[in-house]
Amino acid sequence: MTPRSQVAEGRVSALTAAAKGPIALTEEVIGEMVHRAAGADYRPWWRAVTGTGFCSNPIHLHRRHGLIGDDRLMLRCGNRRASVCPPCSRLYGGDTWQLVHAGILGGHYGVPTTVAEHPMAFVTLTAPSYGRVHAAGPNAGQPVDADRYDYAGHVLFTWWAPELWRRYTIRARRLLTRLLRDRGHDPKRVRLTFLKVTENQARLIPHFHAVLRLDHAEPVEVGDGRASEPSVIAPPVGTDVTSADLAALALQAAAETSVLVPDPTTATGTRRMSFGAQADAEPLDPSLPVAVRKKIAGYLAKYVTKSVTDHGLTARRVSPQVAHDRQVLAGLSPHARAIITTLTALADAAPEHYSAMVRWLHTLGYRGHVTTKSRRYSLTMGALRAARALWRQQHPTGSEEPSAPAMSGDRADDATSTDTAEWTYVRSGHDTRGDYLLTAAAATAHLEQLWARRDAREAERMGIP
Ligand SMILES: [Zn+2]
């Protein structure tokens, strides 16, 4: 067994590994790996590691039952950021792809294929320009002239972006109601649903990509005079609103959405925030080839794992002290540093409005979720996890899931669905650097296997022996 003291001090997670740089294969680390592989507890440990999908930063839970019962459980961290946990972020990206895919094309998870016939638009909402930035090269996204870059505007846009999106959805729904009334249709029979994904741009400001879709708003008849469950997604009836109409409406809503916010850097003490002029809306016509729709689904999912914090700050939460921590700041680009400085300055200048900014330094001031959707857009992540858990129950051999994302095993979902209350959190990360490396190597090997299998299937389809 590994000595206790070493377990306490040598705990390795993706976070500490990232902070300390790659783990060197020293004699000590090799010793840890050999110790693990030769140890009596290797098998249960390996089963647990496999069960987490080779998570880089597993969470350890513990529960007692009866007098001597003592269960331990290792869960995947579930972090969607590739910089924190590559295996978990792949799973999250895969889940999102399925969510988007089901919402655009249907055909699985209870979403009918007729969903592809609904009027739909793919919308991109950008932030305004706060100063010229380098378009390409090693300085891509960095201001050309940092002294003249409007950092207060940049930070305030990021801070208020979730509110701007909320107002945008309200505006779009109002415009739709007006359009339907103008055409003599009943607005209550049509529902506008959204799926939004946040992209962190190179200039470190959020962009929104969204699919807007029209659904029938009431329960529909499903035969025998029975009404469907309200959750059934059905094409809107009694309306001639097209995908092109929806795209036009989406752009108009973007232009008409704004929010007046406190800004201690202006003479009036306020500033009106709105989206940038580069808004774009593409009608997703039902006649579009399936391949194009699939591409859009993949495009949206890609942004989910593209880390909002791919700027050097990897911790989930960064304490306010980070703004004064030279070592942390030295690892960031001058642009990211200036944003953090601006966040703390605004918090100081207007604490009555912005004191909370110091708690969001790790996301450079972005408070929103990476993915949001209206309730009825498609299946929920929860439903997806439940489906995965059920599939595993029925296929206990540990074989690969049919259509599921890259990883197998997801004990976290099982635990949360059955008996979370009894479990207590013990710690997260791997016990030793050796364990961490063994797991990381297994994750890579597993991925290569998946790719090889995919290639083989592809070759088979194309008739290549
Ligand atoms: Zn993980």
Side-chain angles (χ1 to χ4, degrees), residues 80-105:
R80 61 174 168 71
R81 291 176 188 139
S83 57
V84 175
C85 182
C88 289
S89 85
R90 272 195 297 276
L91 184 77
Y92 192 95
D95 278 359
T96 305
W97 189 86
Q98 296 213 314
L99 185 113
V100 178
H101 183 271
I104 295 181
L105 286 129

Side-chain angles (χ1 to χ4, degrees), residues 362-421:
H362 61 302
T363 60
L364 302 183
Y366 184 64
R367 294 174 291 169
H369 295 288
V370 170
T371 317
T372 59
K373 65 181 186 67
S374 29
R375 203 157 51 86
R376 295 246 170 67
Y377 174 81
S378 66
L379 69 162
T380 62
M381 289 285 201
L384 202 59
R385 292 197 190 102
R388 193 181 302 129
L390 187 69
W391 193 92
R392 261 198 318 282
Q393 260 172 34
Q394 293 163 350
H395 302 77
T397 50
S399 51
E400 207 52 52
E401 290 161 70
S403 60
M407 291 298 155
S408 63
D410 201 350
R411 294 294 303 276
D413 304 335
D414 299 347
T416 43
S417 63
T418 53
D419 43 24
T420 308

Side-chain angles (χ1 to χ4, degrees), residues 55-57 76-79 85 88:
C55 175
S56 309
N57 195 25
R76 57 163 66 248
C77 71
N79 201 299
C85 182
C88 289

Side-chain angles (χ1 to χ4, degrees), residues 178-258:
R178 194 189 298 165
L179 181 71
L180 289 165
R181 283 221 180 93
D182 286 352
R183 295 189 183 178
H185 306 316
D186 180 3
K188 283 199 219 58
R189 303 189 67 186
V190 181
R191 182 169 49 221
L192 183 56
T193 56
F194 299 89
L195 176 95
K196 178 206 77 181
V197 168
T198 308
E199 177 202 2
N200 187 32
Q201 269 211 307
R203 59 176 166 142
L204 304 179
I205 203 161
H207 267 198
F208 295 140
H209 302 277
V211 174
L212 275 61
R213 192 185 69 209
L214 289 190
D215 294 348
H216 188 63
E218 293 164 327
V220 287
E221 209 172 281
V222 289
D224 314 331
R226 284 182 303 125
S228 70
E229 295 293 318
S231 61
V232 165
I233 296 166
V237 287
T239 162
D240 55 5
V241 175
T242 63
S243 294
D245 292 332
L246 199 54
L249 180 153
L251 278 186
Q252 192 188 342
E256 293 176 358
T257 300
S258 71

